[in-house]
Amino acid sequence: MSKSTIRKKVKSAMKKKAKSAIKNKGKSAAKSSVKSAARSRVKSSAAGRAGSAAKKKPRSAVKRKAAAPVKTKSALRFEIDGKACKARAGQTILDAARDNGIYIPVLCFYKGMKPAGICRMCTVKVGGRNMAACTTPVAEGMIIENAIPELEDMRKAMVEMLFVEGNHMCPTCEKSGNCDLQALGYRYQLLAPRFPYMFPQRNIDATYSKIMIDNNRCVQCRRCVRGITTKDGRNIFAMTKRSGKSTIVADRELEAKMPDDLARKAMDQCPVGAILKKEVGFAVPIGKRKYDAKPIGSEIHN
Amino acid sequence: MSKPVVATASLAGCFGCHMSLLDIDDRILQLIDLVEFNKSPIDDIKTFTKECDIGFIEGGCCNSENVENLINFRKNCKVLISVGECAIMGGLPAMRNGIPIRECLEEAYLNCVTVDDKIIPNDEEIPMILDRVYPCHEIVKIDYFLPGCPPRADLIWEALTALLSGKPINLPYEALKYD
């Protein structure tokens, strides 16, 4: 979506309701669209969301203006673990937390992809209720709990559950050192899971031409389903079967035509080692991999 | 006061974790001052001669001998530690867990191209292979876990010194790795 179309959209929203309050939001939406070209997909959805939020919100915005005439009228004020934070209207808790230098762990969320709220790793407490930070928009005056012992232990338990539910053998995995699940284990200093190992029987499908799919390691975050498409927008990956039997499959025809960089992207976007690009492996030596020296999320903590 | 006694064993493991224990470099001199070794491949004592304070277990349980050995360790050690991925979750040997035991044996002793005498060994002298590889904590109570393949020497050292001094363990980010 181009900048001008966003402006038009916001303008039409402005006409409908309180003009002065929305103007600032329109500006912020347009500003966010300029911010990064790589986030084009989310940009459109975020802008759309900002627009719809703008439609809904004018009353509270006007109220706020009357109550406290501050410089940043468009910013929503909220709190994470006692820290005062600001967010743009329509921003999710996760996004806003990152902008404020606060790390909320994620697995299924991937920057630039529309959030889906599948893994619940980003669960935070909003007013005492558990909410997925990646899909919940920030509201004015929200009091959010994030790094509290209860939630941190729950997240650790979730990592443990994922470890015992599949067959995650880090020493034999090509993705080791670049794996988000493993990195979360490191972050939470997970020494051994509290749950019994299930040793499920799953298949490895190496019959594809560009990639391999190892269902032993899949955590079903659907990053590949949501994020890997052909140039004309066709999905390459999909889920098949139901419940505990559901697995990831790839469209053979489209997969065979995948350019190398897209296959690489599929491997990189997979938070675990379920999707591996063929004919390369262990390219980065131990010590130089993504999570060898710094914990996951350290790029967000400033 | 006598020194704390340490015992170690490698069950279904590759001795890599024992190598990592030796990888503490010059701290090995401190180690000798700190503890006394009993049943261990390091000093080649084959049977327990006294009650031990700390037992390090490398490797999971893939046969009856491993199980007996592990139970023996639990009886003779006050504190038992699972060292390495194999002891914690079965590790590399546990890759056979999805394959029926008959298929495993047939592949190894009957169908493999390099097999000469096609016979599945079955002798009283040979430990009985288990249906799957078991993590140690599924057989006996394990007190602590040190992950890694092998666990970094620093991790083993930190754990041992923390245990001996009674202080909380210092876990630097680089020391805790699963590979």
Side-chain angles (χ1 to χ4, degrees):
Chain A
M1 196 187 283
S2 72
K3 213 159 68 179
S4 62
T5 52
I6 294 170
R7 276 199 188 124
K8 270 179 202 167
K9 227 183 172 185
V10 177
K11 263 185 188 170
S12 68
M14 284 194 323
K15 277 177 191 169
K16 283 180 187 170
K17 291 185 180 177
K19 280 180 191 170
S20 62
I22 296 159
K23 235 177 199 172
N24 291 309
K25 275 176 195 138
K27 267 181 199 163
S28 73
K31 207 171 156 191
S32 75
S33 73
V34 184
K35 213 170 182 182
S36 89
R39 295 171 58 186
S40 61
R41 274 169 58 98
V42 121
K43 192 171 69 185
S44 60
S45 65
R49 230 182 296 123
S52 65
K55 276 181 207 170
K56 284 177 199 165
K57 287 275 168 67
R59 214 177 351 143
S60 64
V62 170
K63 214 193 242 173
R64 195 168 68 249
K65 195 187 167 194
V70 279
K71 272 183 198 169
T72 49
K73 278 175 281 185
S74 66
L76 297 172
R77 279 166 301 177
F78 68 107
E79 220 175 73
I80 298 184
D81 293 338
K83 185 187 171 188
C85 301
K86 279 177 188 170
R88 297 190 307 275
Q91 236 185 342
T92 61
I93 295 174
L94 181 78
D95 241 6
R98 287 190 172 186
D99 285 353
N100 286 279
I102 293 168
Y103 174 70
I104 298 175
V106 290
L107 255 188
C108 73
F109 175 86
Y110 195 81
K111 210 175 172 186
M113 221 183 269
K114 193 181 169 192
I118 296 167
C119 72
R120 301 280 146 174
M121 195 61 67
C122 66
T123 300
V124 290
K125 271 186 186 292
V126 181
R129 292 181 77 178
N130 288 353
M131 309 284 264
C134 70
T135 53
T136 312
V138 176
E140 175 67 25
M142 258 187 180
I143 309 280
I144 298 163
E145 291 168 283
N146 172 39
I148 57 171
E150 183 195 329
L151 285 177
E152 292 290 55
D153 186 59
M154 191 193 73
R155 290 164 181 164
K156 189 180 180 188
M158 273 157 40
V159 175
E160 291 172 28
M161 276 192 259
L162 288 171
F163 262 105
V164 302
E165 179 272 343
N167 295 311
H168 298 276
M169 295 186 191
C170 297
T172 63
C173 182
E174 208 177 289
K175 199 69 180 285
S176 186
N178 300 310
C179 167
D180 288 2
L181 182 67
Q182 188 191 50
L184 284 171
Y186 295 160
R187 189 181 171 95
Y188 290 115
Q189 300 201 327
L190 168 58
L191 297 174
R194 67 193 83 169
F195 310 106
Y197 286 100
M198 290 167 73
F199 295 116
Q201 288 194 34
R202 304 230 174 104
N203 291 330
I204 301 172
D205 195 343
T207 58
Y208 295 105
S209 50
K210 297 280 172 66
I211 53 155
M212 284 196 289
I213 297 183
D214 187 344
N215 284 302
N216 290 295
R217 300 168 186 155
C218 182
V219 292
Q220 310 202 340
C221 66
R222 293 179 226 169
R223 277 189 191 175
C224 53
V225 178
R226 293 179 289 141
I228 305 297
T229 52
T230 58
K231 269 186 185 168
D232 48 350
R234 292 175 71 189
N235 280 17
I236 295 171
F237 293 92
M239 301 288 293
T240 181
K241 297 184 188 164
R242 285 175 181 274
S243 187
K245 286 178 182 163
S246 55
T247 53
I248 294 286
V249 286
D251 184 306
R252 288 184 188 279
E253 208 178 297
L254 297 179
E255 185 274 332
K257 286 182 200 157
M258 253 172 141
D260 271 1
D261 58 331
L262 191 62
R264 163 65 54 191
K265 193 179 158 196
M267 180 176 171
D268 290 344
Q269 278 190 10
C270 180
V272 287
I275 297 174
L276 299 175
K277 191 175 178 299
K278 279 187 176 176
E279 293 171 7
V280 280
F282 303 102
V284 184
I286 292 177
K288 290 187 176 170
R289 299 169 304 180
K290 204 171 167 189
Y291 301 119
D292 276 339
K294 281 182 182 170
I296 187 169
S298 51
E299 73 282 3
I300 290 160
H301 277 296
N302 32 6
Chain B
M1 206 178 85
S2 60
K3 286 192 278 189
V5 188
V6 173
T8 72
S10 177
L11 307 177
C14 69
F15 274 94
C17 300
H18 274 82
M19 290 297 151
S20 197
L21 173 64
L22 299 177
D23 199 26
I24 53 177
D25 300 330
D26 56 345
R27 283 171 291 187
I28 205 158
L29 300 172
Q30 287 180 57
L31 180 72
I32 297 306
D33 288 336
L34 270 175
V35 298
E36 170 194 337
F37 277 89
N38 199 268
K39 180 178 157 71
S40 169
I42 289 171
D43 56 12
D44 212 20
I45 298 178
K46 308 280 191 202
T47 51
F48 282 104
T49 53
K50 60 165 94 171
E51 185 162 350
C52 297
D53 296 290
I54 303 166
F56 284 102
I57 302 292
E58 171 196 332
C61 293
C62 76
N63 62 33
S64 56
E65 192 201 17
N66 295 153
V67 175
E68 280 164 30
N69 210 346
L70 182 60
I71 291 171
N72 194 21
F73 259 77
R74 182 69 272 183
K75 276 182 191 157
N76 288 283
C77 299
K78 287 177 195 158
V79 172
L80 211 52
I81 307 175
S82 268
V83 183
E85 197 73 10
C86 299
I88 292 172
M89 66 86 65
L92 206 68
M95 288 183 94
R96 77 162 161 96
N97 282 3
I99 306 163
I101 188 67
R102 176 182 292 276
E103 241 174 78
C104 279
L105 290 170
E106 283 177 356
E107 180 61 35
Y109 295 106
L110 302 181
N111 305 331
C112 180
V113 284
T114 54
V115 168
D116 195 11
D117 295 326
K118 298 202 171 189
I119 181 170
I120 292 178
N122 185 19
D123 193 286
E124 279 179 13
E125 292 288 313
I126 301 169
M128 188 70 87
I129 196 162
L130 303 180
D131 60 335
R132 65 174 177 90
V133 179
Y134 291 83
C136 290
H137 62 268
E138 288 187 14
I139 309 279
V140 297
K141 163 102 173 79
I142 298 287
D143 301 294
Y144 299 104
F145 300 88
L146 299 177
C149 186
R152 303 294 182 267
D154 286 338
L155 181 67
I156 301 178
W157 179 253
E158 288 292 345
L160 185 66
T161 48
L163 203 56
L164 294 177
S165 63
K167 286 176 190 157
I169 186 168
N170 167 35
L171 271 181
Y173 182 76
E174 287 79 8
L176 178 64
K177 290 283 177 303
Y178 302 156
D179 59 0

